[in-house]
Amino acid sequence: MSYRYMRVILMFDLPVLTSRNRRDYSMFRKFLIKSGFMMMQESVYCKLTTNQSSAETVLKMVRANKPPEGLIQTLIITEKQFSKMDFILGSQIQTWLPLMKVC
């Protein structure tokens, strides 16, 4: 078995309108963390795997634990591709400002 490290990048957009939605969101996020995913930014997680077949196994686990509603997108890339990620930073945003309601 050759080791060609892969990254599984997972992005999701789940509804949180009802208490059931919030519970499903929380359970899915806890599943990701227990499965070894690391948060890159809000609703974007990644996991390092040893090869393509183990990455496919991770995707099967995600499919088995997906919430009933919402969108989950996955992408498998090599560790070399992941290491070429460019970080572009802007000024810091204050996140404590109250959210505006949409009417």
Side-chain angles (χ1 to χ4, degrees):
M1 173 191 277
S2 68
Y3 292 100
R4 183 173 182 190
Y5 292 106
M6 307 293 285
R7 290 275 180 160
V8 177
I9 300 175
L10 184 137
M11 302 154 280
F12 63 89
D13 187 18
L14 303 177
V16 289
L17 300 174
T18 66
S19 60
R20 170 97 181 178
N21 290 151
R22 287 189 293 276
R23 186 178 64 106
D24 291 340
Y25 170 89
S26 179
M27 288 176 57
F28 183 67
R29 187 175 177 282
K30 286 178 184 178
F31 157 75
L32 291 177
I33 293 168
K34 286 180 183 177
S35 298
F37 279 87
M38 297 180 301
M39 183 165 54
M40 294 175 61
Q41 63 185 48
E42 191 173 338
S43 298
V44 179
Y45 288 74
C46 75
K47 179 179 171 96
L48 179 67
T49 62
T50 53
N51 54 37
Q52 180 74 29
S53 63
S54 63
E56 294 293 336
T57 303
V58 168
L59 291 182
K60 287 179 186 176
M61 288 179 12
V62 169
R63 286 185 190 103
N65 289 281
K66 69 175 181 59
E69 296 180 50
L71 173 67
I72 300 171
Q73 298 170 301
T74 60
L75 177 66
I76 299 175
I77 60 174
T78 64
E79 184 62 16
K80 186 173 183 179
Q81 291 169 327
F82 185 81
S83 69
K84 292 181 181 180
M85 184 185 312
D86 192 16
F87 295 89
I88 303 170
L89 302 174
S91 62
Q92 187 175 12
I93 299 172
Q94 294 180 347
T95 58
W96 54 268
L97 296 174
L99 298 175
M100 298 180 67
K101 291 185 178 179
V102 179
C103 298

